[in-house]
Amino acid sequence: MSSLIKPLLNRITMGNYAKSEPTHYLQVALPTPLRRVFDYLPPKSGIDFLRPGIRLKVPFGPRKLIGILIAITAKTDIPLANLKRVEQVLDEQPIIPKDILELCRWVAHYYHYSLGETLGTATPTALRQGRPVAQQTRKLWRLTYPNAEAPSHIARNAKLQLAAWQLLKQHLKGLHEPMLKSLGVSNQTLSALEKKGEAECIYENLPTLHTMPQSILHEAPLTLNPEQAHVVQQILQTAQQFQVFLLQGITGSGKTEVYLQLIEQTLKAGRQALVLIPEIGLTPQTLHRFEQRFAVPIAVIHSGLNDNERYLAWQKAVDYRVGIIIGTRSAVFTPLAKPGLIIIDEEHDASYKQQDSLRYSARDIAIYRARQANIPIVLGSATPSLESVHNAQTHRYRHLHLSQRAGQAKPPSIELLNIRGETLQAGLSPALQQKITQHLEKGQQVLIFINRRGYAPTLLCHECGWVADCPDCDAHLTIHRQPPHLHCHHCDYQQSIPVRCGHCNTASLFPVGAGTERIEDFLLSQFDPIPIIRIDRDSTRGKTRLQELFSDIHQGKPAILVGTQMLAKGHHFPKVTLVAILDADSGLFSTDFRGLERLGQLVTQVAGRAGRGKLAGEVIIQTHHPESPVLNRLVTEGYEVFAKTLLAEREKLSLPPYSYLGLFRVECKNQEEGERLLLQLRELISQFLQYNNLNGPLGVTLLGPLPAPMEKRQSWYRWQLLISSPSRQPLHTAITFAIHQLEGGTQAMIKLARKVRWSVDIDPQDMM
């Protein structure tokens, strides 16, 4: 036989010609920063039971990663020899529902982020780690022989077992493990009963809203005033279709009651409601209000929960075991079995924008979800964002108003208090101190607002002017007294308070300015024995501390509340009749173009804490600029006129919402590398725009590179390149091109990009 023919016959015998290339390939999203999906060969068991949304364990270099199956395709651009095979299929059914998978694809595309890491943001940690999906059953313990008068196999001295047997005898239908545990019956005791044949463990399906009692309410809803009733009617008319409603209601106008009655109708229609709130601090009072009203199960999702708690809440929403989901920003990704309504409370709040990793806006994602599900979404605020006001003016949103306070409450009076030339004590003028005394003497409460933690913002040498600065940031160190130390609130650097100046070695060191701690100390000395309740991030550490402080406030006794933004949002303090804002001027000179908008929102929100009960409210704003047209317009004409004025200015300057922004941020240890990278990137983008006729005032404009307002943070130098356009498509086209250059351009560009940390922020809310 020919030496040439023999190898050929051997290959035929081995079946090589019978083999063919795979007919299907799996596209898998992996938790890596790479903005792409990865192709894999199917597992040896085939593809018959594979569905997009299931988890797969796959090899990735030297590691094993858990990814999400995105699609099954018939083609791949990867050479067959380079493809690896899926090692393990972790799920029988998709853990990521189809709508959430689609949502994450849109989010990754819009925010120019890795799909794998986007899915990681949307998925509980337990599932990302490969843990099995929780079984939709629970253990039920019952007697093996329910008709027995006494146990046959339990010794008289086995008192715990006898007690457990008697307990089960009283509940012949059985008791669940959590209930037994709460009654003092351990798993060890139950196992002993099971071994002796006296008790048995069965599994029953967890109840869904289909099998739960039909009663929805614990208590009857309040009677709506004509404005509230009109709003509810308008929203319910579109309950079966997508529509964005901007509900602008002054503080105390009863927006929450509107939410509750809308949710009631949603539940009666057999659907779920998702309610987003801006901060964890609002969760306890929101949950309490909802639990008082509704008899249906409610899930809570926020970053203060541990991984297991978040996963269980997530799973309950998927399984239709809860009717209402209340959560902060990340809850926007929670799958809903039967979506019916989305509510975004305080929609203007900057907390809805994630400021690192995946820089998404929960409000904007919620609007996309509502469109997906063809359901209404309500954006509620007393001080809506200028973007939302503009969308209402252009009829993209329906604008609804609540212009009067609910019940007998009246809007507070507002006064600009000129403090030029006044001697301030811990930031308080003599006139303000007198006002505080008057309100306390009437048995009322006072709220003092300053958006500054700590004792004082600066430690200054009176002799040479030296200031205690953070060694790692372009920021002063804040003085804290509880416990005494200097603290950088940007990078968490801390050190002891020096006795002598770090420059001239004198002992002339003095705190400059006032924070919440210093104001608290001063008030304690001036108004003893009136309680001083300080609420800021430092005083509310601990799971229950914030709720304990609020309980003290709601006792209604005379007290002075001192706090930061934590006191400004959504709280109802009926005994607070005086609100004092100590440092409104700082917002007048912000380097961020959104500074005035946020000043107006903050002042209005804080002022809204006054006079929410039957007692009249008063607001005093201390200022060195009482003639400021901005402050006067806000105080005399209200937020709506104030917002329209700002919008007119934004339009002249082609700023959002009349343009769209993307921000490239670079952080580097070597200051020159960040600037050099962005200079090269700007040049490439400029050439691309010119070639595609996308430059000019109607196309894409570039600003920078410039150092960030806080140039150094956590020992990293920070540079920015701002890209703007009057329309979204050219902006995203330019950003896509820029990312391609950073990740797959010239070797020199890729090498330089790898030396720094870079990110892109779409619709940036924080320019710092």
Side-chain angles (χ1 to χ4, degrees), residues 432-442 527:
L432 176 57
Q433 294 178 45
Q434 185 177 356
K435 282 284 188 182
I436 293 172
T437 301
Q438 292 171 3
H439 282 259
L440 292 174
E441 287 176 346
K442 295 177 184 178
F527 294 97

Side-chain angles (χ1 to χ4, degrees), residues 519-637:
I519 295 168
E520 179 187 28
D521 283 356
F522 173 75
L523 293 172
L524 284 168
S525 67
Q526 296 295 114
F527 294 97
D528 185 62
I530 296 294
I532 312 299
I533 302 173
R534 176 167 63 90
I535 296 182
D536 56 27
R537 194 181 302 174
D538 302 309
S539 68
T540 56
R541 288 178 178 151
K543 241 180 178 180
T544 62
R545 182 57 183 154
L546 182 61
Q547 198 56 36
E548 290 169 1
L549 291 172
F550 283 153
S551 296
D552 293 341
I553 296 170
H554 287 299
Q555 289 180 12
K557 298 177 182 178
I560 303 177
L561 289 55
V562 180
T564 58
Q565 287 194 58
M566 295 178 71
L567 279 176
K569 304 170 184 177
H571 299 295
H572 180 66
F573 304 131
K575 294 288 284 186
V576 169
T577 54
L578 174 64
V579 166
I581 300 174
L582 300 189
D583 191 25
D585 292 348
S586 60
L588 294 173
F589 309 106
S590 172
T591 57
D592 190 335
F593 71 88
R594 289 191 174 86
L596 289 179
E597 176 187 2
R598 288 175 178 155
L599 170 65
Q601 290 166 344
L602 190 58
V603 168
T604 305
Q605 292 284 343
V606 176
R609 301 313 108 199
R612 293 172 69 94
K614 297 179 181 179
L615 302 171
E618 184 177 4
V619 179
I620 293 179
I621 302 174
Q622 290 191 162
T623 176
H624 288 91
H625 304 277
E627 74 290 343
S628 164
V630 172
L631 284 176
N632 277 278
R633 184 174 296 113
L634 180 65
V635 168
T636 59
E637 300 183 70

Side-chain angles (χ1 to χ4, degrees), residues 365-378:
I365 292 178
I367 293 171
Y368 186 91
R369 284 202 70 179
R371 184 189 297 275
Q372 261 189 317
N374 199 30
I375 59 174
I377 178 171
V378 180

Side-chain angles (χ1 to χ4, degrees), residues 658-732:
Y658 301 97
S659 66
Y660 302 98
L661 302 180
L663 186 66
F664 276 94
R665 290 188 173 95
V666 168
E667 298 175 293
C668 49
K669 292 293 186 180
N670 184 329
Q671 191 172 12
E672 295 179 355
E673 289 177 342
E675 182 182 18
R676 189 163 76 249
L677 176 67
L678 289 183
L679 280 171
Q680 293 181 20
L681 187 63
R682 178 188 173 120
E683 180 61 27
L684 290 170
I685 296 173
S686 298
Q687 294 174 8
F688 173 80
L689 296 175
Q690 187 172 4
Y691 180 80
N692 291 280
N693 296 318
L694 292 175
N695 54 341
L698 298 179
V700 177
T701 57
L702 306 175
L703 177 63
L706 295 169
M710 180 178 287
E711 185 175 355
K712 186 182 179 185
R713 186 170 180 174
Q714 294 180 316
S715 298
W716 291 77
Y717 293 97
R718 305 159 73 234
W719 288 83
Q720 298 181 162
L721 176 64
L722 186 66
I723 306 178
S724 67
S725 175
S727 57
R728 290 191 191 276
Q729 186 172 349
L731 175 74
H732 285 273

Side-chain angles (χ1 to χ4, degrees), residues 250-283:
I250 65 169
T251 53
S253 59
K255 292 186 292 295
T256 303
E257 183 61 31
V258 169
Y259 300 157
L260 293 171
Q261 298 209 16
L262 291 173
I263 292 170
E264 177 186 347
Q265 298 305 316
T266 301
L267 295 171
K268 286 181 177 178
R271 296 187 173 274
Q272 295 166 296
L274 173 63
V275 181
L276 295 190
I277 55 178
E279 289 191 358
I280 296 174
L282 294 173
T283 306

Side-chain angles (χ1 to χ4, degrees), residues 60-77:
F60 188 78
R63 298 180 291 164
K64 310 293 183 186
L65 297 181
I66 294 171
I68 302 294
L69 177 61
I70 301 300
I72 301 173
T73 67
K75 295 181 180 179
T76 179
D77 296 329

